[in-house]
Each structure stands twice: as structure tokens, then as C-alpha cells.
């Protein structure tokens, strides 16, 4: 018996039903990798950030997330190079969907229970997304802007519902706008922390503060 079409599980109708000690026998999600490209790139290297944003309150299957991830990654690698971007899938499939399997062989009507005991068995995993929630984010250089937008446009076709491509005014995956980032970097107000930056504390001993600022500038 194959998978049901995604339209059967598209709407957020019920309460979240995660995998737990009560909900056992759940199949693994199809998507296993959430970060692609040059994941360890310095925060200074990729100032551009583009998001694929959901415009519907719906459920997206792990199969759709995996298909979109492969589609966007393949286009980016082919047209920009594998070290010219960092792609991140921002939603995780935790909600378990169920199926009440029906027999379709001869004489099935003698064996079937119909709507008695209709609570189904786990069939797969979906991510519950809200309106204006980011599904996929890509950080890259400014000269790859058109390629990133096209990669996300292609991955839109893997999802149900409506999505929008949004060009962020933030620096990469940080929470600071570009002018704020450049100003704070020049003043040594933060230290680099992977894809992000960590703001310097303004409390504590003065010698500790000056020491951390000096280290951040070098």
C-alpha cells in the first residue's frame, strides 16, 4: 500500500501528536540533514540572507521537506559552487500522522471493522508551520542573490500551499541589520560565534571587559 497524497494531511486539524513512549512504532522522517553547503563559513563571509516563508497555517510532510532541500541544494551547487552558500531547513517534522488501513482484497467486508476502532497506526511525520514562518534560509554572498532566489523558487514547487521568497535586511543568520552589524563590528561590541555573533556583556570587571574586546578585535 503506497503513501496517501499530501492533501489528506495538509491542514492542522488536531492537537500535536509527537513520538513518545505512548506513541511507538513511528517511522523515521525522510529528511535527516538540515544544514548544507559551507556550514562552518565565518559570519563575515556571507552577508546575504534569503528566506522561503510559508503563507499558510498547514502541515508539510518530511518527504516534501527532503525534496525541497535536494532541489535547492542541487541548483545552488550547480550554479554557484558547493562552498558559496549555507542552506538551512528551518522546520522539523515532529507531528505523527496516522492511517486507518482498510483491506481491499476479496472478502474484506467480513474482516473489516469499518469505523469501529478507527484510531489509525502511525504512517509518517509532518512539520506544523504557521503563517510567516521561515521554511528554508540561505546565506551567501551578494553576487549570488539571483541564484539563491531561483533555487528557493524551484523548491517552492515541492510544498503545498503558498510560499513567498523574502530577502532579509539582516546580516546573514544574525539578528542585526547590516548597518547595525558593521557599526558593532567596528566598535568590537560582539565576538564571533559560528554562524552568529555573541554580544559583549557590559557588566562585570572593567579589565575583563577590555580583555574580551581586545580579543574580539584580533
Amino acid at each position: 500500500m503506497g503513501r496517501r497524497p499530501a492533501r489528506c494531511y495538509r491542514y492542522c486539524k488536531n492537537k500535536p501528536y509527537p513520538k513518545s513512549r505512548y506513541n511507538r512504532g513511528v517511522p523515521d522522517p525522510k529528511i535527516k540533514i538540515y544544514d548544507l553547503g559551507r556550514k562552518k563559513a565565518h559570519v563575515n563571509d556571507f552577508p546575504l540572507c534569503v528566506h522561503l516563508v510559508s503563507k499558510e497555517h498547514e502541515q508539510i510532510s518530511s518527504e516534501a521537506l527532503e525534496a525541497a532541500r535536494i532541489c535547492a541544494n542541487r541548483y545552488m551547487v550547480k550554479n554557484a559552487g558547493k562552498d558559496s552558500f549555507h542552506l538551512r531547513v528551518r522546520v522539523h517534522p515532529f507531528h505523527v500522522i496516522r492511517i486507518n488501513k482498510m483491506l481491499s482484497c476479496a472478502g474484506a467486508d467480513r474482516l473489516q471493522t469499518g469505523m469501529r476502532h478507527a484510531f489509525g497506526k502511525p504512517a509518517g511525520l509532518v512539520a506544523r508551520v504557521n503563517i510567516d514562518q521561515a521554511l528554508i534560509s540561505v546565506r551567501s554572498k551578494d553576487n549570488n542573490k539571483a541564484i539563491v532566489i531561483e533555487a528557493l523558487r524551484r523548491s517552492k514547487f515541492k510544498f503545498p500551499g503558498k510560499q513567498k521568497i523574502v530577502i532579509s535586511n539582516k546580516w546573514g543568520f544574525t539578528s542585526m541589520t547590516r548597518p547595525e552589524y558593521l557599526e558593532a563590528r567596528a566598535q568590537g561590541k560582539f565576538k564571533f560565534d559560528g554562524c552568529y555573533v555573541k554580544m559583549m556583556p557590559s557588566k562585570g570587571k572593567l579589565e575583563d571587559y577590555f580583555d574580551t574586546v581586545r580579543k574580539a578585535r584580533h
Side-chain angles (χ1 to χ4, degrees):
M1 190 174 177
R3 281 180 64 237
R4 278 184 181 171
R7 64 173 175 267
C8 302
Y9 299 107
R10 181 175 159 187
Y11 300 108
C12 294
K13 289 189 294 186
N14 305 318
K15 291 177 182 176
Y17 186 55
K19 183 179 176 180
S20 67
R21 62 185 176 177
Y22 312 108
N23 178 17
R24 299 181 299 275
V26 177
D28 289 333
K30 286 288 182 286
I31 183 165
K32 298 277 174 47
I33 300 165
Y34 292 86
D35 279 270
L36 298 147
R38 205 163 118 226
K39 296 174 280 193
K40 295 186 178 178
H42 197 276
V43 68
N44 282 334
D45 293 350
F46 294 149
L48 174 72
C49 183
V50 184
H51 306 292
L52 182 64
V53 173
S54 172
K55 284 297 184 186
E56 287 191 32
H57 180 59
E58 61 179 353
Q59 297 182 159
I60 294 176
S61 69
S62 62
E63 288 86 356
L65 289 169
E66 174 70 357
R69 178 191 73 83
I70 290 169
C71 178
N73 181 57
R74 189 167 288 165
Y75 188 84
M76 286 299 301
V77 169
K78 186 177 177 183
N79 293 281
K82 63 183 175 66
D83 291 330
S84 64
F85 70 98
H86 175 196
L87 182 146
R88 177 172 285 170
V89 179
R90 300 280 299 278
V91 291
H92 290 241
F94 291 126
H95 177 71
V96 179
I97 52 175
R98 301 185 298 263
I99 183 168
N100 181 23
K101 281 188 181 171
M102 296 285 196
L103 298 172
S104 57
C105 55
D109 52 335
R110 292 167 180 270
L111 307 169
Q112 269 180 356
T113 55
M115 286 305 292
R116 283 177 299 180
H117 311 297
F119 193 89
K121 297 278 188 289
L125 286 149
V126 296
R128 292 160 74 91
V129 300
N130 290 312
I131 295 170
D132 288 339
Q133 184 176 350
L135 304 177
I136 301 173
S137 295
V138 183
R139 64 183 181 121
S140 185
K141 290 188 165 72
D142 285 322
N143 58 351
N144 292 328
K145 186 174 176 181
I147 297 169
V148 173
I149 290 169
E150 177 60 18
L152 292 180
R153 190 194 70 83
R154 289 177 177 221
S155 65
K156 274 203 309 186
F157 297 117
K158 309 297 178 186
F159 293 132
K162 189 178 179 183
Q163 292 82 32
K164 234 176 189 176
I165 295 166
V166 176
I167 299 162
S168 175
N169 64 349
K170 307 284 194 256
W171 183 287
F173 288 165
T174 67
S175 59
M176 305 168 78
T177 61
R178 290 195 180 204
E180 287 171 355
Y181 179 87
L182 293 169
E183 185 184 342
R185 186 175 68 181
Q187 294 172 3
K189 285 186 176 178
F190 56 69
K191 58 182 177 182
F192 300 111
D193 185 32
C195 305
Y196 307 97
V197 290
K198 201 177 278 184
M199 297 304 290
M200 293 293 182
S202 53
K203 294 182 179 179
K205 291 182 181 177
L206 267 176
E207 56 264 31
D208 293 345
Y209 173 75
F210 289 129
D211 191 43
T212 50
V213 167
R214 190 176 65 253
K215 283 178 183 173
R217 283 181 172 169
H218 293 302

